[in-house]
Amino acid sequence: MSSSREKAATNRVLNFLCEWDRGNKSTRMQMLQKFLQENTGKTSPELELEFAQAASLFLTRITAWMRLTYMFSTCLQLQLRALGVFLSAASNHQYLFEFLEVGGVMTLLEIISQMQTSEEEKAEALRLLCIISNAGRKYKEIICESHGVKVVAECMVKSDSEETQHTASRLLESLAHGNPTYQQHVYEGLVSLLTCSSPTTTQLTLHTLHAVQVVVKTPHPAVVEPLLNLLSSFQLEVQYEALELIKYLHQTEVREALLNALIALLKPTKVLQDPAMEKMNDLPLFIQQAAAAKALRMLAVETRETSEELISLGVVHHLLYAMGNQEHADAQRQASLALMHFVSSFPVVEKHVCRAMGPALFNSFMHNAELLYMNMDEIQADILLSNKVDISREFRDQNTKS
């Protein structure tokens, strides 16, 4: 570029910056809108060419204006989107450094935690934090050191916007990857979110927790109870994510605790202690009972070793009990399907189940296990509820001899 062209470009940029410095809110909004139209998607070298190697001067001005006005939500979404042009530009490390140097991360976290910030503005701020996090380990550490995990987790719980919730979950997952210093902190933060009442947040938390669990590897023992509590959810998406995480955790150090807890759910304790409870209050327990039976069948069919372990832990007795629960058809159906796997795979189980059911009910079970609940009368159901089947010792002895 000739010196005359360089001088013209420099003058144009200086005039642009002077207009910004002297401009009011309306003028700056127009300038930001034009900037977005003309520069979205540009690389760092292209932005430098556009601003005569002085793009950082405009970045600094946008950042300073946002930090002065974000509490009043003055054009905040527009400011955030303009910052996104710089932070998302290819070869953006200089821009990232300059933004962080003036406290950009803390400002974004404060924006997210403000009650008056709109959901659209929160989502935009979270997107910028995702860009920063994805830039590398040192950036992830800066966000975590600024209490970012807590702020983002709280935002995820309190938000009623799916866009905000999704962006927050992506950020938490990003903070866990390639961040060994803080990945456990992120993981524990996600575990704490399992008690959230929002179905969308819970579903996203489970999905993200699964991804982070793979990174962390060793599970926290505290994950089992809140995870299994989610099997009582009325939301199929939540149940699906919970079952997927259970499938993974089954291969880890919490395996035994997980299997024992799933088996225990086949006999809901609250219902046993208080038979007079209203049916609607019992429904989540029966849904959990059905999901537990489904989970046990899912785990049992994966390996014979798991099937044998479950039999040794007394799963047959508990499945028969669940089959007798005429309060919830799906619990009966799932328990029947699970029991069929064990009966078909182990002759000793078939012998004891036949004895517990009686010939007529057992024949119906073998003919169509899935629909057995439809052909069961109250007497047969009571027999299953009061069954005393315990083949754990016999099964263990048989396996020892073989």
Side-chain angles (χ1 to χ4, degrees):
M1 185 183 290
S2 66
S3 59
S4 60
R5 288 184 179 180
E6 289 177 352
K7 187 176 180 180
T10 301
N11 287 335
R12 176 175 56 80
V13 172
L14 288 174
N15 290 334
F16 176 84
L17 295 176
C18 285
E19 182 183 0
W20 175 274
D21 293 340
R22 289 195 291 261
N24 57 19
K25 173 184 171 181
S26 178
T27 300
R28 291 183 177 184
M29 284 181 63
Q30 292 174 9
M31 294 176 72
L32 286 179
Q33 287 167 346
K34 185 178 180 183
F35 171 76
L36 286 166
Q37 290 170 1
E38 296 177 353
N39 297 284
T40 298
K42 283 187 176 181
T43 64
S44 177
E46 288 171 336
L47 288 170
E48 289 302 317
L49 184 62
E50 177 69 22
F51 283 87
Q53 308 305 311
S56 292
L57 295 177
F58 189 43
L59 169 61
T60 301
R61 281 165 167 77
I62 299 172
T63 305
W65 189 36
M66 182 185 71
R67 294 185 69 200
L68 288 171
T69 61
Y70 73 85
M71 288 185 290
F72 313 106
S73 199
T74 300
C75 322
L76 182 54
Q77 189 173 9
L78 200 56
Q79 294 167 339
L80 292 168
R81 287 176 58 206
L83 287 172
V85 172
F86 287 100
L87 300 184
S88 63
S91 306
N92 63 348
H93 295 294
Q94 182 61 32
Y95 299 146
L96 281 171
F97 176 77
E98 292 169 356
F99 183 69
L100 267 62
E101 195 174 36
V102 295
V105 165
M106 284 300 301
T107 303
L108 292 176
L109 292 172
E110 287 170 10
I111 288 170
I112 292 166
S113 59
Q114 279 193 137
M115 288 184 63
Q116 65 266 35
T117 305
S118 71
E119 291 296 332
E120 292 80 7
E121 292 163 348
K122 288 179 181 179
E124 203 66 54
L126 286 165
R127 272 192 284 272
L128 294 186
L129 286 168
C130 282
I131 293 170
I132 295 169
S133 176
N134 292 335
R137 176 176 173 177
K138 67 178 180 180
Y139 299 104
K140 300 175 194 289
E141 290 179 347
I142 290 171
I143 295 172
C144 292
E145 288 165 2
S146 304
H147 306 288
V149 173
K150 180 182 178 182
V151 172
V152 175
E154 288 180 353
C155 173
M156 194 170 164
V157 170
K158 294 177 182 177
S159 174
D160 56 5
S161 162
E162 288 194 15
E163 183 184 12
T164 302
Q165 292 168 330
H166 277 274
T167 312
S169 69
R170 286 199 302 272
L171 176 55
L172 289 172
E173 183 174 347
S174 172
L175 290 172
H177 286 274
N179 187 14
T181 304
Y182 289 98
Q183 66 182 21
Q184 187 69 30
H185 179 56
V186 177
Y187 172 69
E188 290 173 3
L190 286 165
V191 171
S192 71
L193 291 182
L194 291 179
T195 56
C196 171
S197 59
S198 163
T200 303
T201 299
T202 303
Q203 179 193 351
L204 289 170
T205 298
L206 285 166
H207 184 81
T208 306
L209 183 59
H210 191 166
V212 173
Q213 183 68 74
V214 175
V215 176
V216 174
K217 292 185 173 57
T218 303
H220 196 292
V223 72
V224 174
E225 183 178 353
L227 173 60
L228 296 190
N229 286 341
L230 293 176
L231 292 179
S232 63
S233 172
F234 290 83
Q235 305 296 321
L236 293 178
E237 298 85 355
V238 171
Q239 285 216 10
Y240 170 79
E241 294 292 352
L243 288 171
E244 287 297 299
L245 183 52
I246 286 170
K247 189 188 298 186
Y248 179 83
L249 289 174
H250 165 248
Q251 307 166 34
T252 69
E253 292 85 346
V254 296
R255 172 192 178 99
E256 186 175 351
L258 189 65
L259 294 180
N260 276 309
L262 282 169
I263 291 172
L265 291 179
L266 295 175
K267 296 178 75 172
T269 53
K270 290 183 181 178
V271 178
L272 293 176
Q273 291 169 1
D274 187 3
M277 285 176 65
E278 294 181 9
K279 290 184 179 181
M280 283 304 294
N281 290 338
D282 290 346
L283 188 55
L285 294 174
F286 295 139
I287 290 174
Q288 188 181 37
Q289 183 186 41
K294 183 178 180 179
L296 287 165
R297 177 166 64 97
M298 174 185 72
L299 297 177
V301 299
E302 285 197 341
T303 65
R304 185 176 180 86
E305 179 187 1
T306 300
S307 295
E308 292 174 350
E309 186 176 358
L310 288 169
I311 294 170
S312 297
L313 292 172
V315 72
V316 175
H317 162 69
H318 286 73
L319 286 172
L320 285 167
Y321 177 90
M323 288 170 63
N325 169 29
Q326 291 189 299
E327 298 290 344
H328 197 256
D330 194 45
Q332 291 181 288
R333 186 175 72 88
Q334 294 292 350
S336 292
L337 290 171
L339 185 62
M340 177 54 76
H341 164 75
F342 295 102
V343 168
S344 303
S345 304
F346 301 93
V348 64
V349 175
E350 179 181 2
K351 179 183 72 174
H352 282 274
V353 169
C354 179
R355 186 183 303 161
M357 287 186 174
L361 186 61
F362 184 74
N363 287 335
S364 295
F365 170 69
M366 295 300 291
H367 176 67
N368 193 336
E370 186 170 7
L371 298 181
L372 178 68
Y373 70 93
M374 298 179 66
N375 304 312
M376 191 187 304
D377 58 36
E378 289 187 12
I379 295 176
Q380 291 170 323
D382 286 340
I383 290 173
L384 294 180
L385 287 171
S386 59
N387 85 88
K388 303 296 182 184
V389 173
D390 182 7
I391 61 175
S392 305
R393 180 177 298 177
E394 180 181 345
F395 187 76
R396 284 194 296 269
D397 291 343
Q398 189 180 87
N399 281 355
T400 302
K401 292 176 183 177
S402 61

